[in-house]
Amino acid sequence: MSFPSERSPQDASGKPAGQTAKRGAAYVALGSNLGDRERSLFEALQLLNEHPAADVLRVSPVYETDPVGYTQQPAFLNMVAAVRTSLTPRELLRLLLDIERKLGRVRDVRWGPRTIDLDLLLYDDRRFEDDELTLPHPRMMERAFVLVPLRDVLHREHPLYNQVAELTADALRDGKEGIALWNTINWHNAFARFEN
């Protein structure tokens, strides 16, 4: 099942309509807690959107959250992007890992500090599991730092929307992970902000 976009292809990215073949709706979580956290999120979005087979359609607000798992580290900035893509889920995952590398991600402590973290949460309504990728993301329903921004951009027709919305309401009511609104990014007018 592929969900309709809420913008035309030309409006969404400036790329020519019909540039790529059949497209899927993917949702990508972004997080950063080292260096200029907001800039890292934006640069990751730019690199993702610059790929010829991916368009960033919508982005959530940016939330600041307490670290989970390994807690002796700075607070994170987290957000989620809705992406239209003709890449397969595996190809999209590899693109996300490549963007992490370009932005200096080092994997030395599990759940440790990072310049950027990109996770593929959902791809249409596909369910899939192998050694490289599990869809939906196996821990997303347990994490307020994923659920809250995901709810902001998840298409209402997605089969998981109601569950995500309910868990988000619970997380916000309970103050899970100290999640707090940090900033909003007007995605389609954001490029000038970080040009220098």
Side-chain angles (χ1 to χ4, degrees):
M1 172 184 222
S2 194
F3 301 98
S5 68
E6 295 179 4
R7 302 179 192 273
S8 71
Q10 185 66 40
D11 291 343
S13 68
K15 297 175 189 175
Q19 181 173 337
T20 56
K22 183 180 175 191
R23 291 176 170 258
Y27 296 89
V28 176
L30 301 90
S32 175
N33 76 335
L34 290 178
D36 186 336
R37 300 173 300 168
E38 190 174 12
R39 184 182 197 93
S40 293
L41 295 176
F42 184 77
E43 287 178 351
L45 288 171
Q46 271 191 306
L47 288 169
L48 180 56
N49 194 64
E50 286 169 1
H51 191 281
D55 297 324
V56 175
L57 297 179
R58 297 179 307 283
V59 298
S60 74
V62 179
Y63 294 90
E64 188 170 50
T65 60
D66 295 336
V68 174
Y70 177 67
T71 57
Q72 301 303 308
Q73 59 180 318
F76 279 84
L77 291 186
N78 294 100
M79 66 187 306
V80 171
V83 178
R84 184 178 52 225
T85 184
S86 58
L87 298 172
T88 67
R90 272 199 196 92
E91 289 170 339
L92 180 55
L93 175 65
R94 290 172 190 149
L95 172 60
L96 298 178
L97 293 172
D98 185 54
I99 291 170
E100 287 184 344
R101 280 189 293 274
K102 286 179 180 173
L103 295 179
R105 169 77 188 265
V106 177
R107 296 175 183 271
D108 52 3
V109 177
R110 184 179 170 114
W111 296 320
R114 61 210 79 169
T115 53
I116 193 70
D117 182 31
L118 303 174
D119 288 319
L120 179 54
L121 303 175
L122 300 166
Y123 191 108
D124 290 332
D125 61 350
R126 294 188 195 186
R127 294 193 174 274
F128 178 82
E129 183 172 356
D130 71 7
D131 291 341
E132 188 178 12
L133 176 64
T134 300
L135 290 172
H137 189 285
R139 292 172 300 280
M140 71 177 205
M141 293 300 191
E142 304 162 10
R143 297 174 169 174
F145 68 83
V146 171
L147 289 168
V148 174
L150 176 60
R151 189 267 327 260
D152 294 335
V153 295
L154 186 61
H155 199 285
R156 289 182 178 271
E157 293 178 20
H158 194 285
L160 293 178
Y161 180 83
N162 289 337
Q163 184 181 3
V164 167
E166 183 178 328
L167 290 170
T168 294
D170 292 345
L172 290 173
R173 184 186 62 243
D174 298 341
K176 267 184 92 177
E177 296 160 24
I179 192 163
L181 182 64
W182 172 266
N183 199 357
T184 58
I185 294 175
N186 182 344
W187 172 240
H188 299 289
N189 296 317
F191 291 98
R193 228 180 126 187
F194 292 107
E195 279 180 350
N196 295 331

